[in-house]
Amino acid sequence: MASEFCFTIWGAARLRDSGASATTAAALSAAFLVGMAAGRLAAPRVAARPATVPVACLTAIAGTGIVCLAQDPWPVAVGLAVAGLGIAVLYPITLARLTAAPGLSPSRSAALGALASGTAIIAAPSLLAVVGSAVSLRVGFVLPGVLLVMLLALSRTHRSSPWTVPA
């Protein structure tokens, strides 16, 4: 969720930073949400595959790289869409794993998922404000990349990935 907020909150600002007008930046920032929508539509079909989390992380990392490195608005928008596509499946997979956790009732799983989401919703804007005041937007977009690399490393450290969804 923290990565989703990074892109949602900073997407339009990054587009402005790349030279887009306010109107164009607002319109092009929807590219992240379009990528997210496409990824969430695909999530039920791909979530049970063992490689889903690594592929999703790598896709999102590639999009993040484009957003960081691009100089012009259109490539930044493409990067936002690619990042959205990759990030989109991570939250549904996490919720599926949480509800399948042994020893947790469905109501407890739902409560933990809501708590984690709420915490991300509260914490992400504050964290982004701190990072945004210290570094440029281009550098700030490294933050979701770091989170995604950590998730990728975590998914690779287990033979049976804890991020795959039981069939």
Side-chain angles (χ1 to χ4, degrees):
M1 294 259 334
S3 291
E4 290 179 21
F5 276 93
C6 288
F7 283 96
T8 302
I9 293 170
W10 278 353
R14 175 64 185 103
L15 285 158
R16 289 278 292 145
D17 186 52
S18 70
S21 69
T23 304
T24 301
L28 289 178
S29 69
F32 177 74
L33 300 173
V34 170
M36 287 279 296
R40 293 263 163 95
L41 283 172
R45 291 186 293 278
V46 300
R49 297 181 183 158
T52 299
V53 169
V55 168
C57 286
L58 290 171
T59 301
I61 289 166
T64 302
I66 295 168
V67 171
C68 288
L69 298 173
Q71 301 288 333
D72 298 313
W74 285 104
V76 171
V78 169
L80 290 171
V82 171
L85 183 64
I87 289 172
V89 299
L90 299 175
Y91 184 66
I93 288 173
T94 301
L95 287 181
R97 290 298 298 159
L98 186 58
T99 59
L104 284 178
S105 69
S107 61
R108 179 107 169 119
S109 297
L112 289 172
L115 176 63
S117 298
T119 301
I121 289 167
I122 291 169
S126 299
L127 177 61
L128 293 177
V130 169
V131 171
S133 67
V135 298
S136 72
L137 281 173
R138 290 176 78 181
V139 175
F141 266 99
V142 171
L143 177 62
V146 169
L147 295 172
L148 291 161
V149 168
M150 289 171 36
L151 180 59
L152 179 61
L154 182 66
S155 73
R156 297 260 187 215
T157 61
H158 301 281
R159 284 190 188 267
S160 173
S161 175
W163 299 98
T164 57
V165 178

